[in-house]
Amino acid sequence: MVDTKKEQERDELHRAIWAIADELRGAVDGWDFKNYVLGTMFYRYISENLCNYINSGEIEAGNTDFDYAKMSDEEAEEAREGLVEEKGFFILPSELFCNVRSKAADDENLNETLEQVFRNIEESAKGSESESDFEGLFDDYDVNNNKLGSTVAKRNEKLVKLLNGVGEMNLGDVKEHSIDTFGDAYEYLMTMYASNAGKSGGEFFTPADVSELLTRLGTVGKTEINKVYGPACGSGSLLLKAEKVLGKEAIRNGFYGQEINITTYNLCRINMFLHDIEFDKFNIACEDTLTSPQHWDDEPFELIVSNPPYSIKWAGKDDSLLINDPRFAPAGVLAPKGKADYAFLLHDLYHIKPDGIMTIVLPHGVLFRGGEEGTIRKNLIEKNKIDTIIGLPSNIFFGTGIPTIIMVLKQKRNNTDTLIIDASKGFVKEGKNNKLRACDIRKITDAIKNRKDIDKYCKVVSRDEIRANDYNLNIPRYVDSSEKTESYDIYASMFGGIPNSEIKDYEDYWNAFPSLKDELFQSNNEPYSTLKSDNVRNIIKNNQDVKHFVNEYKNAFAGFEGYLKTLLIDDAENLNIAKTEEIISNEIFNRLKNISLINQYEAYQYLNDEWNMISGDIEIIQTEGIDAAKVVDPNMVLKKKKEKEVEVQEGWIGHLLPFDLIQSKYLLKEKREFRG
């Protein structure tokens, strides 16, 4: 159902962001336009968020005609103190996004107007609990940057286009969908930037698939957590993934993070607001995590998700205080000055709760490098901290193709073994990068839950075996995931016959269909066999074991359509969308558990591929009612007119149900006649 209104709106939003990017990146080098686009989106969001809070009756109870944007600044001042206390900031009506935008084209001093507005927003939080969340938030939004234009007039022309571009984005109704939409717009823009930013792209943004994997690994067996912490939080997307995985209410005490880069730090705070995280639910600091940690009083954390910069230099031995630092002292040595990987790991481990889980992305070398790192690794094994090691596909991060791994660590563990997973083969190619699919993530998390050996995929390794390997954790020592070397039988090619060794390669099928091999092949007591008949298809189709398998599969899914109807249609208005995909996937896994040959994870991937559309439809039903199925919308498309792309209507589309689905289900005869 790709032509529904929700999908069209998402595509329109992404096109609008791309159009603004095209407009700005010709002027602003290095794709730094992200600071302007995100800053403007943030300005619009907090303006609309504040108006909605006031207009919804929180201030003017019962007055449905009240509009804060039309109020005088003098009257609004009376509510300043209460609004700052509740929302963390204050904006005068005249300085709201909608009002500044409406006058922007005629404002010869637009750059000064915006600069003053941004300063006023930041200063409104001074002296309040939200001061640190707003301080310097617009520092990277330089309205006087010569790269925007050589004159004030040219800079203002760009700023007008920026305000109009963001103002025209279909970001929905603040009261309903805009939180998801603003967040989606942010993720799309950051992904677009990271994928085009070269080596620097991976420094501040963890791809969504890796973020989800890290979070799911850190929340295995948990339905809620106290606090989530990102010690090198970048732009915050990884930190916020816990909200997506567990749900907003499941993060009881908020989000904590630290980021050394001031620009990325500002982006992270903006990201929090765009995802509707209130100022008192997040605490992001801008300092060096290793030498100036800022969250001593906030730990311990139940979930830590970490993707620190790989193998960077740090103070190490040059800072005499670090050797006695409680984060590093238990290891006995400091991580080498040239590679801070284990310094980040030890920092994270110190901050985790006894029953918490930390997940961290590291370069492959931490598994086998010697020296101080070898000593730290031995210490971690002997103190039973390393729970799982996962080898990731190459080229999965923006800006680098180096092999990476994920370590899962805990302070307290009941077992002493380490699960080692080689997940390097599970991915799909997407553009320049490799990407984990939903089925790859599910397979990894299931392996951790089940903790059993799987040939060529994972192995539960005892501490004695690791000791015997001198604490070298290099994955190929324990898991052989290499493909079988392809061989060619020259004799069979020249004289005919099917090598029995090749027939043996299909052992899974002969186990599933015990009688089939003998019906297909004739053995000559040699290393070769011949086919009994050329009609292989008929033999397979009529084999009793194959027929039994087909019936077994059909029986396994008997009633599944009715199950889905009850769950997704009859109860659409009440179901929990966030949890329903897992409910359905578990049902599929249960139905397939005794069916050989069928790959459960491929089946799960089919569900996941469709889930975004399914969940979008359910969301529409929950917010607009089942009558939304009867509504049609204009089908807006981009067409070139006089060298410019303009949006024009081209027919209609179903708001919820695609026309083609209705025609194929109820008007098939007429559809065929119409097409001739």
Side-chain angles (χ1 to χ4, degrees), residues 416-420 453 459-466 469 473 478-479:
T416 60
D417 53 45
T418 296
L419 176 65
I420 297 182
D453 293 357
K459 181 181 179 182
V460 180
V461 183
S462 70
R463 188 154 54 185
D464 285 340
E465 186 175 353
I466 295 173
N469 278 294
L473 294 173
Y478 306 96
V479 181

Side-chain angles (χ1 to χ4, degrees), residues 70-97:
K70 296 177 181 178
M71 195 176 185
S72 71
D73 287 354
E74 291 73 22
E75 289 178 292
E77 278 287 358
E78 297 178 12
R80 175 187 288 268
E81 188 176 334
L83 286 170
V84 170
E85 186 176 335
E86 289 294 320
K87 301 297 293 179
F89 66 97
F90 176 76
I91 307 176
L92 288 166
S94 66
E95 296 184 343
L96 292 167
F97 176 87

Side-chain angles (χ1 to χ4, degrees), residues 498-522 529-531 536 539-540 543 545-546 549 596-597:
I498 303 168
N500 290 339
S501 59
E502 292 184 10
I503 296 174
K504 186 174 176 58
D505 288 341
Y506 295 88
E507 200 66 37
D508 288 347
Y509 290 89
W510 313 138
N511 290 334
F513 314 127
S515 63
L516 182 60
K517 185 165 69 169
D518 287 340
E519 289 185 14
L520 286 172
F521 303 108
Q522 174 70 49
S529 296
T530 56
L531 284 172
V536 173
I539 293 175
I540 294 174
N543 178 266
D545 292 328
V546 172
F549 176 86
S596 60
L597 301 181

Side-chain angles (χ1 to χ4, degrees), residues 388-447:
T388 305
I389 294 167
I390 302 140
L392 296 175
S394 61
N395 203 34
I396 202 167
F397 291 95
F398 296 115
T400 179
I402 67 169
T404 52
I405 59 119
I406 291 174
M407 268 199 200
V408 181
L409 298 98
K410 301 176 181 178
Q411 283 286 11
K412 302 287 185 183
R413 298 203 305 143
N414 295 325
N415 50 306
T416 60
D417 53 45
T418 296
L419 176 65
I420 297 182
I421 303 173
D422 187 344
S424 61
K425 306 292 193 298
F427 63 88
V428 64
K429 189 77 176 172
E430 191 170 278
K432 302 175 185 177
N433 289 81
N434 296 326
K435 179 182 177 182
L436 295 170
R437 298 162 295 178
C439 62
D440 301 319
I441 294 171
R442 174 73 184 249
K443 187 175 182 180
I444 294 168
T445 53
D446 282 354

Side-chain angles (χ1 to χ4, degrees), residues 207-244:
D209 53 323
V210 182
S211 295
E212 178 154 348
L213 175 58
L214 286 165
T215 306
R216 290 198 178 278
L217 295 177
T219 54
V220 169
K222 297 179 182 289
T223 56
E224 61 176 21
I225 55 175
N226 68 337
K227 292 177 282 192
V228 57
Y229 173 48
C233 62
S235 58
S237 297
L238 171 55
L239 194 56
L240 284 162
K241 189 61 71 171
E243 181 192 22
K244 282 277 188 183

Side-chain angles (χ1 to χ4, degrees), residues 78 103 106 124 159 167 210 223 242 255 269 277 303 325 393 426 430 496 517 550-551 601 611 627 675:
E78 297 178 12
K103 300 174 183 177
D106 300 318
S124 72
L159 292 171
V210 182
T223 56
F255 303 80
R269 291 185 293 163
I277 307 299
L303 170 63
D325 188 302
E430 191 170 278
K517 185 165 69 169
V550 172
N551 288 331
Y601 294 100
W611 185 250
D627 284 344
R675 291 183 175 175

